[in-house]
Amino acid sequence: MTLERYLLDSNIFIQSEHNIPQDIFEGFWRELGSLLESGTAVLHQTVADELKRKQDPLVNWLKDLDGVEPMAPGNETLEKYLEVCAWADEQNYESRALREFKAESRADAWLCAEAMASDLTLVTYETASNSIKKVKIPNVCAGMGIRCIGGFAFMRAQGFHF
C-alpha cells in the first residue's frame, strides 16, 4: 500500500499565511512543516518560484525546514502539461483566461500536469466554477481525472489539530 502524497497549490501557503497566521496558529505551521519535511506534502518548483517572485515571507519559513527541496517537473510532466493545456483549450474559456492559465509565471497548469504525471493529490483552496473568465484547478482536475481536494479536507485527512 502506497501512502498518499499531496501537491500543494501556491494558495495553500498564501491564504494560510493571511488567514491562519503563524503567531496565532503555530500548530498549523508545525504540522504543515512536518508534512513537507516527511515528503507527504510536496512543494513544487513552480510554487516556490511564485512565492519568490512575490517576495513572500514564507520563502524564509520554507528555507528553514529540514531537507525540503522544491520538486522539479518530472520526466512525464511536459507531456501532461500539453494535455492539460489542450483540455483547457477545448473548453469554453475566454482567451484571456487561457493565457493566464498557461502563463509561464503561473503554477496552475504545471501543478495539474505534475499531479497527473506523479500520481499526487493536488491540494488547493480554489473552488470549482462555471465561469469562463478563469480556468480553475478543481475544474481541470475534474475534467482530467486528477485527484484534487480542498485545503480543509487536506487538514482533516492529515489529522491537523491546533
Side-chain angles (χ1 to χ4, degrees):
M1 178 176 157
T2 312
L3 291 176
E4 189 164 11
R5 293 180 65 220
Y6 300 89
L7 184 62
L8 306 181
D9 184 10
S10 305
N11 72 18
I12 293 299
F13 297 100
I14 296 166
Q15 286 186 29
S16 294
E17 180 182 26
H18 295 286
N19 298 315
I20 309 172
Q22 291 184 38
D23 62 329
I24 298 172
F25 296 99
E26 292 175 13
F28 168 83
W29 293 97
R30 195 170 31 257
E31 295 275 346
L32 185 59
S34 292
L35 290 172
L36 286 161
E37 289 174 337
S38 72
T40 300
V42 178
L43 170 68
H44 198 264
Q45 184 64 56
T46 56
V47 170
D49 292 345
E50 271 189 11
L51 295 173
K52 284 178 193 168
R53 265 192 310 281
K54 294 178 184 203
Q55 299 179 343
D56 195 291
L58 285 178
V59 170
N60 291 328
W61 176 79
L62 287 163
K63 282 182 187 175
D64 290 341
L65 295 177
D66 197 24
V68 175
E69 294 292 326
M71 176 188 199
N75 293 336
E76 295 180 31
T77 308
L78 178 57
E79 178 184 324
K80 298 300 182 188
Y81 172 81
L82 296 174
E83 288 179 31
V84 164
C85 291
W87 177 89
D89 286 338
E90 293 168 4
Q91 308 311 304
N92 195 29
Y93 293 109
E94 292 180 354
S95 57
R96 181 175 179 220
L98 291 168
R99 281 193 308 275
E100 182 181 307
F101 179 67
K102 298 178 197 177
E104 188 178 326
S105 64
R106 299 282 313 243
D108 293 6
W110 288 105
L111 290 173
C112 294
E114 192 67 62
M116 191 170 15
S118 300
D119 195 31
L120 300 169
T121 298
L122 190 44
V123 181
T124 184
Y125 284 128
E126 275 189 4
T127 56
S129 168
N130 291 328
S131 173
I132 61 172
K133 296 182 183 289
K134 182 166 177 23
V135 181
K136 300 277 207 139
I137 287 174
N139 293 80
V140 176
C141 290
M144 301 282 308
I146 302 165
R147 286 187 317 277
C148 180
I149 62 173
F152 291 110
F154 166 71
M155 288 180 229
R156 287 184 183 104
Q158 292 303 305
F160 275 48
H161 293 285
F162 44 90

